[in-house]
Amino acid sequence: AEPDAWFTYYYWLHDDHAPDFARGVDIHRKPGYDPAELFFDPADRLAKAKAGLNLARKKLGLRYAMNVVPLDPSCVRGTHGRLPDRAQDGPVLLCSDPHPPDTVERTGRIAATDVRDLLLNLQGLGS
């Protein structure tokens, strides 16, 4: 994917045909990950107030629907899962262990698949 792109699940052509769950925070009914859930609908001036009211309902044990998600995906500027274009833009792992793994010593890098074992070893749980 392009750096500022994400693969949307929107299968409808007009917002009037969007399913009920599309405007809500509902990770269990949406097919895949919806990064638009991270934003309030900018077209709805009362979205933050509605969210606050819904949180109050939740605290009181009442039912609520958090329907404040925009259907316009323009607020999404990319998402997780894409490798950076430059290694300098990649993740950083800081560690207090004075003896890094051999691959880190040689290359200055650690494969993402090796991070788990490193963390287990630091906790004394590795092999």
Side-chain angles (χ1 to χ4, degrees):
E2 294 298 319
D4 60 349
W6 65 287
F7 295 104
T8 178
Y9 75 93
Y10 296 178
Y11 50 82
W12 55 91
L13 299 176
H14 301 287
D15 287 350
D16 295 343
H17 298 112
D20 291 339
F21 61 77
R23 292 187 188 277
V25 177
D26 196 347
I27 62 171
H28 300 292
R29 287 199 287 175
K30 290 183 178 181
Y33 168 69
D34 183 5
E37 286 187 1
L38 300 173
F39 303 95
F40 286 112
D41 187 353
D44 184 355
R45 291 183 15 222
L46 299 175
K48 290 181 182 178
K50 289 177 185 176
L53 180 61
N54 284 327
L55 289 176
R57 286 181 178 154
K58 178 181 179 182
K59 289 284 188 189
L60 293 171
L62 301 174
R63 294 175 54 106
Y64 68 98
M66 195 67 75
N67 293 329
V68 294
V69 176
L71 291 181
D72 175 10
S74 63
C75 55
V76 178
R77 301 270 192 253
T79 186
H80 64 282
R82 184 179 190 280
L83 295 175
D85 292 329
R86 303 176 322 151
Q88 303 93 300
D89 296 330
V92 175
L93 176 66
L94 302 176
C95 179
S96 61
D97 186 353
H99 306 291
D102 291 337
T103 57
V104 175
E105 193 67 42
R106 283 193 317 274
T107 66
R109 298 175 186 217
I110 186 168
T113 53
D114 294 334
V115 172
R116 173 188 161 268
D117 291 337
L118 173 65
L119 296 175
L120 287 173
N121 287 336
L122 289 172
Q123 295 299 314
L125 301 172
S127 53

